[in-house]
Amino acid sequence: TLLYNDNKVEGMGPHSPNPEKSEGFYNLLKDLKQEGVPVHGCGVQAHFDASGTGRKRPPTPSMVKAQIHRLGNLGLTVNISEMDVRVSKLPANVRQIAQTQIYRDILAAALTEPAFDGIWLWGFTDRHTWVTNFYHEDEPLVFDEEYGRKEAYYGLRDGLATMCPGGIVGGGCPLNDGTDEEEAKNQQQPWGHLWMQPEPENDSDETAVAKGGDDTPDWLQPSS
């Protein structure tokens, strides 16, 4: 089995955080399939920053669903391959709210697509996470440093339960075509309104980079 795995390609649509890269990811796989390359599936990594703005903003569940849907239409399976959710840059009172909602709703949305075939977390305890060494101190996983279950653990469980008998497919999160305008029509409040950070009013050089303005590789982009 041949799988192609990439980061920052989780959402589809012009309002998604990384539309150019998401399109490139899709078009590459489409071309490979048309050329007869035996690629069987793909992974979207899902290293999310709940406090992110611009290109670092988390995609909405509907954006993730739309991306999985069109990849599935190519005859590919799709998995979430490396999920974790950084929250330390958010106010303390909304960190668990954000992390729980992202884990629950992204998984619930993905599970509505027949092409979706699994989720992997990039670790399971905050005691051992790449984020601390690569970015900063954080708590991105579903077990705390003492191996206790966090609210995000139960959010992930609830996401899985949407596909069980008695569950609600999609878990009640918005699952339209992924555009901000459509979501606004169907919701009193946009997804993530309790914790999603506003875009900066004045773009610094770093903010401009975060909005996708240069060709610097992902691993050299500013980490704040």
Side-chain angles (χ1 to χ4, degrees):
T1 299
L2 178 62
L3 304 177
Y4 176 63
N5 183 53
D6 211 336
N7 190 30
K8 297 186 175 68
V9 295
E10 298 84 7
M12 171 189 162
H15 300 284
S16 63
N18 297 277
E20 295 87 1
K21 188 168 184 182
S22 293
E23 285 295 313
F25 178 73
Y26 170 77
N27 288 328
L28 171 61
L29 287 162
K30 180 180 179 181
D31 290 346
L32 291 173
K33 292 290 288 185
Q34 289 176 342
E35 293 295 326
V37 176
V39 57
H40 304 98
C42 58
V44 296
Q45 292 181 14
H47 294 294
F48 295 138
D49 180 359
S51 68
T53 59
R55 192 169 60 193
K56 297 182 180 181
R57 185 179 294 280
T60 66
S62 56
M63 294 172 184
V64 174
K65 173 181 170 64
Q67 181 75 320
I68 295 172
H69 182 80
R70 67 170 175 174
L71 290 164
N73 284 342
L74 297 177
L76 300 169
T77 61
V78 186
N79 66 75
I80 293 175
S81 58
E82 304 182 16
M83 191 172 185
D84 50 30
V85 182
R86 305 194 296 278
V87 293
S88 68
K89 301 300 183 179
L90 286 175
N93 64 319
V94 296
R95 290 175 186 171
Q96 288 301 309
I97 295 172
Q99 192 173 66
T100 300
Q101 185 176 25
I102 292 171
Y103 272 114
R104 181 189 64 234
D105 290 357
I106 295 298
L107 177 57
L111 284 167
T112 66
E113 288 299 322
F116 183 69
D117 73 343
I119 180 172
W120 284 260
L121 307 186
W122 211 234
F124 71 96
T125 169
D126 294 333
R127 182 184 289 265
H128 304 292
T129 169
W130 74 288
V131 171
T132 299
N133 295 322
F134 194 85
Y135 287 113
H136 41 67
E137 290 291 329
D138 214 307
E139 302 172 345
L141 297 165
V142 299
F143 287 84
D144 63 25
E145 292 190 0
E146 301 301 321
Y147 302 94
R149 296 172 181 176
K150 296 164 57 179
E151 291 180 27
Y153 169 91
Y154 296 101
L156 195 69
R157 183 193 65 180
D158 290 346
L160 289 169
T162 62
M163 298 302 288
C164 295
I168 299 173
V169 175
C173 62
L175 297 175
N176 54 56
D177 69 356
T179 65
D180 292 347
E181 289 85 357
E182 285 299 315
E183 288 188 1
K185 293 177 184 176
N186 294 309
Q187 301 175 74
Q188 293 182 345
Q189 296 286 354
W191 183 81
H193 71 278
L194 293 175
W195 49 268
M196 194 81 77
Q197 300 298 291
E199 294 295 336
E201 293 183 4
N202 298 313
D203 288 353
S204 63
D205 290 342
E206 182 171 320
T207 303
V209 169
K211 288 186 174 180
D214 71 8
D215 296 325
T216 308
D218 293 346
W219 58 89
L220 295 179
Q221 295 288 352
S223 60
S224 60

